[in-house]
């Protein structure tokens, strides 16, 4: 059998957006996408807040800042073109004390540097916009939206197939070999039937397994994926109108995640969350799920212990609030007193694939690595769902370079 021109590992939003854009750019090339689950977007993409971020927080000039701004526009335009419901409901970042008020002004400056339209609201203007929210002031980000990212995945998969792409679900990539002229991709179908596919080039968008797919090709990386659970609650239907916008706290610049927020979902419900708790199984969504291999990979990685040393206090607080609902409630009651303990109804958690370096630092920006014939997305944290279209475009530009380079070196042999 002829090798495929390009194979992609991972049917999350990053893999699918790349796959679809590839078939548009190279209609003559054969492209194979391999996903280990029975459907698409079942991991990070299907367990997130569903927010189309505007790009408030990110370091000006970083890939995150650029991709988020471009991605928000591309996501909305894709939804318009393909009749996928989304809503530009806007978001409020609410300051609840003097320290947060100072941080809020710093964030407002960052928005300007990132070219994001905002309004700074006084306490009274905040009250007028959101009668159920208390704070000393807020930043109103008009362009923030909401969508169901799994719906985008379904559409991308359908378009990819229509444009001649091959989709393979229930196939897990378990090994990879790269030679001078091709790659061999070893898979198992539903944990039993083994198969080997061949391709000229490979793109790995494996999310929570990104370090493992890179390791299959012997790539020496100085990071590991550490899973962070993001636990949510859902408010009862009677609270579906409790807020008009998305309500976020002002984040602590020393902490990596955004803090518990109130999110209006595209189906009309409202969720509270997510927190950020240490996960003990990369793809285990239950609170007490553990996986010995995942734990072993963490505890034998020096970066994990250095990370713990830096964030142990925050980690303890998050863990306490994860088990003690009243603690979790306090986080949201800082800005919304109308929610009580009985309002916190169960909702599925998500798990973030966070790349951590050997020195214990968290990788904040998108991170890629490569071999002569493969490209790997090593870190695609939030807002990677928003940014999936520009990430895909960026990957294809990198792939073009790889293809030209290999062509040239073959010509000189
Ligand atoms: C709690 C939470 C909230 C978030 N909120 C937002 C938000 O509101 N807005 C936003 O923009 N972003 C948000 N994010 C981030 C965003 O969801 C992710 O960054 C994005 O979904 C990453 O997409 P992905 O395709 O890289 O990974 P994934 O969606 O995890 O997809 C990876 C795929 O690869 C497959 N795979 C892995 N290994 C193999 C293998 N060996 N063989 C075959 N297949 C394999 C997996 O099964 C999976 O389907 C959030 C994330 C979390 C966890």
């Amino acid at each position: 059998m002829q090798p495929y021109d390009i194979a992609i590992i991972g049917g999350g939003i990053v893999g699918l957006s790349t796959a679809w854009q590839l078939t548009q750019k190279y209609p003559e090339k054969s492209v194979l996408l391999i996903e280990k689950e029975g459907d698409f977007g079942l991991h990070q993409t299907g367990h997130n807040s569903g927010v189309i971020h505007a790009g408030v927080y990110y370091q000006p000039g970083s890939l995150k800042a650029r991709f988020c701004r471009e991605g928000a526009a591309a996501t909305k335009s894709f939804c318009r073109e393909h009749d996928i419901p989304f809503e530009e409901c806007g978001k409020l970042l609410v300051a609840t004390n003097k320290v947060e008020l100072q941080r809020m002004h710093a964030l407002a400056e960052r928005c300007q540097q990132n070219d994001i339209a905002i309004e700074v609201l006084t306490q009274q203007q905040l009250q007028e916009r959101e009668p159920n929210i208390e704070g000393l002031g807020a930043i109103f980000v008009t362009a923030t939206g909401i969508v169901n990212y799994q719906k985008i995945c379904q559409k991308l998969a359908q378009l990819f197939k229509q444009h001649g792409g091959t989709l393979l679900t229930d196939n897990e990539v378990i090994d990879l070999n790269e030679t001078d002229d091709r790659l061999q991709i070893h898979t198992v179908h539903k944990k039993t039937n083994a198969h080997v596919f061949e391709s000229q080039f490979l793109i790995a968008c494996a999310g929570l397994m990104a370090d493992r797919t890179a390791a299959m090709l012997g790539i020496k990386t100085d990071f590991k994926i550490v899973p962070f659970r993001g636990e949510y609650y859902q408010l009862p239907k009677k609270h579906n109108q409790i807020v008009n916008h998305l309500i976020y706290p002002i984040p602590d610049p020393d902490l990596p995640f955004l803090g518990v927020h109130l999110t209006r979902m595209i189906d009309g419900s409202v969720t509270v969350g997510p927190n950020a708790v240490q996960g003990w199984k990369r793809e285990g969504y239950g609170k007490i799920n553990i996986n010995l291999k995942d734990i072993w990979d963490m505890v034998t990685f020096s970066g994990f212990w250095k990370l713990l040393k830096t964030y142990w206090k925050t980690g303890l607080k998050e863990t306490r609030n994860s088990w003690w609902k009243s603690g979790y409630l306090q986080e949201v009651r800082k800005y919304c007193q109308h929610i009580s303990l009985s309002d916190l109804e169960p909702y599925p958690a998500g798990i973030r694939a966070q790349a951590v370096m050997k020195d214990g630092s968290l990788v904040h920006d998108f991170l890629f690595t490569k071999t002569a014939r493969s490209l790997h997305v090593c870190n695609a944290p939030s807002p990677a769902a928003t940014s999936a279209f520009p990430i895909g475009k960026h990957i294809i530009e990198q792939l073009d370079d790889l293809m030209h380079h290999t062509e040239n070196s073959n010509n000189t042999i």
Side-chain angles (χ1 to χ4, degrees):
M1 195 185 161
Q2 276 282 95
Y4 285 92
D5 290 317
I6 304 153
I8 298 173
I9 305 175
I13 196 160
V14 175
L16 282 163
S17 134
T18 309
W20 174 63
Q21 294 183 69
L22 267 176
T23 55
Q24 302 241 298
K25 182 158 184 189
Y26 294 116
E28 74 291 353
K29 291 202 188 294
S30 55
V31 185
L32 166 72
L33 185 143
I34 307 171
E35 166 55 51
K36 68 179 160 51
E37 307 296 346
D39 205 346
F40 304 105
L42 290 189
H43 289 294
Q44 293 178 92
T45 304
H47 286 91
N48 64 23
S49 304
V51 177
I52 307 174
H53 285 289
V56 170
Y57 312 94
Y58 316 119
Q59 184 73 34
S62 62
L63 283 179
K64 248 189 184 179
R66 198 183 101 209
F67 288 172
C68 187
R69 209 179 38 246
E70 293 171 10
T75 304
K76 290 172 197 170
S77 116
F78 184 85
C79 290
R80 274 187 210 105
E81 194 178 333
H82 298 286
D83 281 334
I84 298 170
F86 77 99
E87 199 188 318
E88 225 170 54
C89 54
K91 111 173 175 183
L92 288 169
L93 286 131
V94 178
T96 55
N97 58 41
K98 281 191 181 154
V99 176
E100 288 182 1
L101 209 55
Q102 269 176 357
R103 288 178 184 158
M104 185 187 96
H105 290 298
L107 259 187
E109 266 174 41
R110 180 159 276 194
C111 289
Q112 270 154 10
Q113 289 164 353
N114 281 333
D115 214 8
I116 292 159
I118 54 158
E119 273 176 52
V120 176
L121 306 184
T122 61
Q123 188 166 13
Q124 197 190 335
Q125 288 167 326
L126 167 64
Q127 266 286 292
E128 282 159 16
R129 274 201 176 272
E130 288 288 359
N132 293 323
I133 299 295
E134 296 95 51
L136 301 178
I139 297 177
F140 178 38
V141 189
T142 45
T144 305
I146 47 174
V147 73
N148 179 335
Y149 283 108
Q150 258 180 315
K151 286 226 161 89
I152 298 186
C153 282
Q154 297 300 343
K155 182 46 86 178
L156 285 168
Q158 186 195 341
L159 291 170
F160 172 67
K161 217 169 158 187
Q162 276 169 8
H163 284 80
T166 307
L167 283 171
L168 218 60
T169 51
D170 286 319
N171 272 268
E172 179 171 2
V173 174
I174 50 160
D175 202 6
L176 297 165
N177 295 315
E178 182 172 337
T179 59
D180 283 347
D181 67 341
R182 67 188 59 189
L183 288 122
Q184 286 185 326
I185 304 161
H186 299 256
T187 65
V188 281
H189 175 67
K190 295 197 169 165
K191 315 264 179 232
T192 48
N193 299 329
H195 196 86
V196 183
F197 296 92
E198 291 193 324
S199 77
Q200 299 286 337
F201 292 93
L202 174 85
I203 300 168
C205 309
L208 284 148
M209 302 298 166
D211 51 348
R212 293 187 183 155
T213 42
M216 286 177 197
L217 280 175
I219 301 174
K220 296 258 175 291
T221 53
D222 44 9
F223 74 91
K224 271 229 182 291
I225 294 292
V226 174
F228 282 99
R229 289 171 60 75
E231 296 166 335
Y232 293 90
Y233 290 99
Q234 187 169 40
L235 297 184
K237 268 201 178 123
K238 65 172 184 190
H239 280 323
N240 279 2
Q241 313 302 328
I242 194 166
V243 284
N244 303 313
H245 311 87
L246 311 180
I247 309 295
Y248 279 63
I250 300 286
D252 180 341
D254 293 333
L255 300 181
F257 303 116
L258 299 183
V260 166
H261 40 92
L262 278 176
T263 313
R264 289 182 48 205
M265 305 299 277
I266 196 69
D267 64 5
S269 62
V270 179
T271 60
V272 187
N275 60 1
V277 206
Q278 183 60 60
W280 301 107
K281 183 175 181 184
R282 292 192 185 193
E283 294 177 345
Y285 295 93
K287 223 184 196 40
I288 50 169
N289 280 172
I290 57 164
N291 177 290
L292 292 181
K293 178 173 167 40
D294 293 349
I295 295 175
W296 180 253
D297 272 4
M298 272 192 295
V299 298
T300 52
F301 174 55
S302 58
F304 172 71
W305 295 104
K306 290 175 185 154
L307 177 78
L308 266 190
K309 207 173 152 195
T310 314
Y311 291 111
W312 68 271
K313 266 191 192 156
T314 317
L316 275 183
K317 185 179 159 214
E318 290 286 302
T319 309
R320 184 201 64 174
N321 290 351
S322 158
W323 289 98
W324 185 52
K325 224 170 157 183
S326 305
Y328 195 109
L329 181 70
Q330 277 168 24
E331 295 297 309
V332 69
R333 280 179 66 108
K334 278 185 195 158
Y335 52 82
C336 184
Q337 296 288 329
H338 300 266
I339 298 172
S340 58
L341 210 53
S342 60
D343 290 330
L344 299 183
E345 297 180 349
Y347 191 80
I351 301 180
R352 305 172 183 89
Q354 176 62 57
V356 175
M357 303 302 285
K358 269 189 187 154
D359 65 3
S361 60
L362 298 161
V363 182
H364 293 295
D365 213 350
F366 300 122
L367 182 70
F368 303 89
T369 188
K370 61 185 172 186
T371 64
R373 290 188 170 271
S374 72
L375 283 166
H376 300 254
V377 181
C378 300
N379 193 51
S382 184
T386 307
S387 316
F389 290 100
I391 296 177
K393 187 166 171 247
H394 177 80
I395 292 171
I396 294 171
E397 284 162 6
Q398 304 289 308
L399 181 74
D400 287 345
D401 286 350
L402 279 193
M403 292 198 287
H404 285 134
H405 187 76
T406 354
E407 233 169 59
N408 290 341
S409 41
N410 285 348
N411 288 342
T412 51
I413 288 169

